[in-house]
Each structure stands twice: as C-alpha cells, then as structure tokens.
Amino acid sequence: MRTVWKALAVCFAVLVFGFVSPAMAGVYTYSDVMIGGRSAQMGGAYTGVAEDGSAAYFNPAGLGQITTPSMSISANGLDIQTYTLEKRLFEQDLTFRSNAFYPSAWSVVQSLGEYRLAFSAIVPSNLDVISTTNFRNVELLPGQFFDVGLIDSRIKDRVYLIGPSLAYRITPTLMVGATLYYWYGEALRETTLFFGGASGQSQVGQFSRTSTTTHGLLGQIGFLAKPSERYAVGLLLRAPVPLDQTIKTDNQEYSFDATSGIFTNSFSQSETSQSARRPPGATLGLALHPSLGRTFSFDLSYYGSAGYSVSSREIDIRPVWNAAFGFEEVIRPKFPIRFGLYTNRSAAPRLNDRPTVQDDRVDSYGATLGAGYIDELSTFDVGMRYALGKGKTKDATTGEHFDVKSQVLTFFVSGSVLF
C-alpha cells in the first residue's frame, strides 16, 4: 500500500505543480485582466493617454487632465479562460476552465484647485476554476491497476488594489501624479484525488485544501508631458511590493484494502506566515493624435526580477519586457471604435531537463476590440478580448517537458458619469 501512496503522491505533485502554482495571482504575468473601459479596448496601451479615471492605475499624472469631477466603473461581464496540459497524466490532457464575473475597475475623481484627487479600486487578477478529470483502467505502478480514477480541483485567485491618487499640473504641458494602493489577495486551492478498483487495493484517496491571504502596499509615480496637441509622452514607475502572506493547509489521505479489510486515514493541518515580493517596473507610453478624433498609443513595459520562498519552494521571477498598441477612431462625434494588441510574456525561468519542480512558462498574445458612446455627461463602452498562449510544463519526477496551451475570451462593459 505504501508504494501506491507514493504513486498517488506523484499524481498529486503533477497536478499541483503543473497548473496551480503558476496561477498564484499572476506571479509570472502582468496583463491577466484588461483594466478599465477605453483603456481595455486599446489593449492597455494607455500610459500616454490616461484621460479618465483608469489613469489612477495606468498613469496617475493623467488625472491632471480631468477638469470635471467624475465616477467610472468597468466590469468583465464574462471572462472565460482555459488552460490545457497536453498528455500530462496517463497520456490524457488535463484542461482547466475559469468562468468569472467581476468588476475590474472603479474610480472617483474630484478637483481640488490645481490638484486632482482620486480614489480607485482595481481587480488586476482573477481566476475561478472548477475542473474534473475522470480516468479508466489506470496503472499507477507496474501491475497495479485501478478501474476508475478522479481528479477534482477548485482554484480561486483574486487580487484587489484599493487606494488614493493625487495629481498636480506643474505647467500647462507637464503633470505629475502618484497612487498608493493597498494590495489584498485571496486564493483557495482544493484538490481531490481518488482511485478505486482492482488488484485488491480497493480505494486510495487524497484531499488537499490551501488558502492564502496576501497584503501589502504598492506605490507608483507617473509623469505626463503634452508639448502639443499632436502627441503626449507618459512614464509610470512602480516600486517593488513587499507582501506578507498567511497560508493555511488541510491535508487528508485514506486507503482501504478490500482483501485485508484494513482502512487507514490521516489528517493534518498547518498555518505558516512568509514574505513574498512583487518586482519593480516601469512603463513608457506614447500617444499620437494625427487628426481630430484619431489616436494611436504605444506602451513598452519592463518588469524587474525578484526571488523568495513559498512553502519551501523557490520563486524566481525573471526580468521581462511587454508591449501594447492601441488605436481609436471617432467615426462620428459620439461613436468611437477602438482596437488593441498586447503581449503577456511570462517572467518564469526557462525549464531545464532535471527532475526538479519548476513552474510553467507560458507566453500569451492578445487582441482587443470595442466601441463606445460619448455625450456631454456620460460615456458607455462595450468590448472583448481574445488571447492565445503557448508554452511548456515539466514533470517534476522525470524532467520531461509537456506542451501547454491557454486561451482567454473576455466580454467587458464600462461607463462613466460626470457630475
């Protein structure tokens, strides 16, 4: 029975390290969610534009352009993500799907003389996965068969950024701003493994639950220069984020041998506290306005390196560059259409061939499309995005590499009101 438990532990490690770990609040990725309304439809290329409430997130200096108090809200009405590990376990694909509904941004902007004060709440990362995979005639070990098998998993992961922003117009063409966010994250992992059937080993099973809460402070400073009506240049500097985490784990294992009638059951709990780290970064943005009602925007982002331990595992975040492009055309005075392209390259290290635990490395590339309505006191926007990712995962016991594919389809809606 002990050898069966070893095989079951291997299956559990394959599942946990094959998907759950790299999904932790976007540890290795930075564009998991399209934030805002107009900004989301333009692929997130908004550092040099930053003309509405989402500037608190993309470039707080842009708040200095807002002359009328306003409130805005955007929501991802339906966010569908799939993550497929090809031929990952017993020559069968493991596919995880996330269907989520949540607001992605909310902000209020108020004028205070030459200053602009804003308060915003952002959801930059979100997962809500329920996945069940069934197996038939599983051979865990040579000569050790089970008639049926089941892997059932639940993964929830969400990050909230909440806090104030302040912007000041230094000159008519130069603005500066800062945002201080309180970072709060909550994650839940539940996995059930069950195998039952032949060879006298009637049942073996394992249940694991891990809940993690994360909190810290994120500070960022922005600059925006508008030398002419034709173009603007923006710069956003993000400070490194020290994060405190509390991890609670429940684990249960059981087995039943039909031949001997022996039943075993074990249960354990633990709670640990540790420190994590989000690396510093910077984004340079350029906005071009070649004619009235037409905008091109470009963002180039750099994210630095960071390293820390999570549950005795080393998290190694490597430097990475990402880019975004946006386009807007106002076809009539009140009806803009928008388009965007963006990259979401992974900051995970490249996989080696050694039998060690490494997180998946998946690079994704996406496109956005949307349209809106503008009047004197309000705006309304609808849009969608599609992203496709490819990469590799690794078997921690053999070092063998497997292909990974991911897809994201999101429909979002947003609106703002001036008051």
Side-chain angles (χ1 to χ4, degrees):
M1 182 65 69
R2 183 177 299 274
T3 57
V4 174
W5 270 119
K6 289 182 179 179
L8 187 62
V10 169
C11 294
F12 184 73
V14 164
L15 181 71
V16 171
F17 298 122
F19 175 72
V20 176
S21 296
M24 294 190 303
V27 168
Y28 295 113
T29 52
Y30 300 96
S31 299
D32 297 326
V33 173
M34 288 286 99
I35 301 299
R38 183 187 182 196
S39 52
Q41 295 171 41
M42 298 176 70
Y46 212 61
T47 305
V49 181
E51 294 178 345
D52 55 30
S54 63
Y57 177 79
F58 287 99
N59 185 356
L63 295 170
Q65 304 177 91
I66 301 176
T67 58
T68 303
S70 65
M71 180 179 69
S72 62
I73 186 170
S74 62
N76 285 351
L78 181 61
D79 184 79
I80 305 171
Q81 302 185 37
T82 61
Y83 194 93
T84 301
L85 308 172
E86 298 185 338
K87 307 296 182 183
R88 191 64 178 94
L89 195 58
F90 308 122
E91 293 300 312
Q92 185 168 326
D93 293 350
L94 294 179
T95 298
F96 302 84
R97 292 182 176 86
S98 172
N99 300 317
F101 170 80
Y102 57 99
S104 63
W106 172 87
S107 63
V108 174
V109 182
Q110 178 66 49
S111 299
L112 295 175
E114 294 297 319
Y115 294 88
R116 301 293 183 269
L117 178 64
F119 188 87
S120 61
I122 307 293
V123 183
S125 181
N126 185 75
L127 279 175
D128 190 356
V129 174
I130 299 178
S131 175
T132 300
T133 304
N134 294 292
F135 301 93
R136 297 291 181 182
N137 299 319
V138 176
E139 185 178 11
L140 286 180
L141 293 171
Q144 183 68 61
F145 291 91
F146 287 87
D147 294 336
V148 295
L150 169 71
I151 295 179
D152 186 82
S153 60
R154 176 73 183 268
I155 304 167
K156 298 182 69 174
D157 208 329
R158 185 174 294 180
V159 172
Y160 303 89
L161 300 178
I162 304 171
S165 302
L166 182 66
Y168 176 71
R169 185 182 287 268
I170 301 174
T171 69
T173 61
L174 180 62
M175 288 155 278
V176 63
T179 296
L180 181 64
Y181 278 128
Y182 172 68
W183 177 306
Y184 178 77
E186 53 184 14
L188 174 68
R189 316 282 192 270
E190 291 183 348
T191 305
T192 300
L193 286 82
F194 169 82
F195 294 92
S199 303
Q201 312 291 343
S202 296
Q203 294 181 11
V204 292
Q206 185 176 35
F207 171 77
S208 178
R209 177 193 291 120
T210 301
S211 60
T212 305
T213 57
T214 305
H215 61 91
L217 293 176
L218 166 63
Q220 54 186 32
I221 298 175
F223 303 89
L224 184 68
K226 300 185 69 174
S228 83
E229 295 297 325
R230 295 287 185 176
Y231 71 96
V233 179
L235 176 64
L236 179 69
L237 303 176
R238 305 176 189 85
V241 187
L243 299 170
D244 295 323
Q245 293 184 322
T246 301
I247 302 176
K248 298 180 180 180
T249 301
D250 299 328
N251 190 68
Q252 182 178 15
E253 300 173 347
Y254 77 91
S255 65
F256 175 67
D257 189 325
T259 302
S260 63
I262 297 176
F263 175 79
T264 62
N265 183 42
S266 63
F267 180 77
S268 62
Q269 289 182 313
S270 65
E271 180 174 334
T272 59
S273 297
Q274 59 193 21
S275 297
R277 187 176 178 85
R278 194 68 166 164
T283 299
L284 179 65
L286 174 65
L288 302 176
H289 310 282
S291 61
L292 184 64
R294 179 174 296 175
T295 300
F296 295 92
S297 59
F298 307 87
D299 273 14
L300 183 63
S301 299
Y302 172 79
Y303 301 89
S305 60
Y308 55 92
S309 298
V310 173
S311 301
S312 300
R313 294 183 55 235
E314 294 299 321
I315 302 297
D316 185 11
I317 301 176
R318 299 297 180 91
V320 66
W321 292 86
N322 277 301
F325 163 78
F327 170 75
E328 178 184 62
E329 178 81 23
V330 181
I331 55 177
R332 292 183 180 181
K334 295 185 178 182
F335 297 96
I337 58 172
R338 304 179 181 108
F339 172 75
L341 298 171
Y342 70 95
T343 69
N344 193 18
R345 299 176 61 243
S346 175
R350 294 190 180 278
L351 301 182
N352 58 45
D353 297 324
R354 298 190 299 272
T356 56
V357 173
Q358 281 189 278
D359 292 316
D360 301 353
R361 182 184 175 94
V362 180
D363 297 327
S364 62
Y365 304 87
T368 60
L369 181 66
Y373 172 80
I374 305 172
D375 65 19
E376 294 180 355
L377 296 177
S378 64
T379 67
F380 179 76
D381 301 289
V382 294
M384 62 178 293
R385 72 157 172 161
Y386 176 77
L388 180 65
K390 291 185 178 181
K392 293 288 185 179
T393 184
K394 189 179 77 170
D395 191 323
T397 60
T398 66
E400 183 180 1
H401 292 190
F402 297 86
D403 291 331
V404 178
K405 292 183 179 179
S406 67
Q407 293 187 75
V408 179
L409 178 62
T410 307
F411 299 94
F412 42 79
V413 60
S414 67
S416 64
V417 178
L418 303 179
F419 56 89

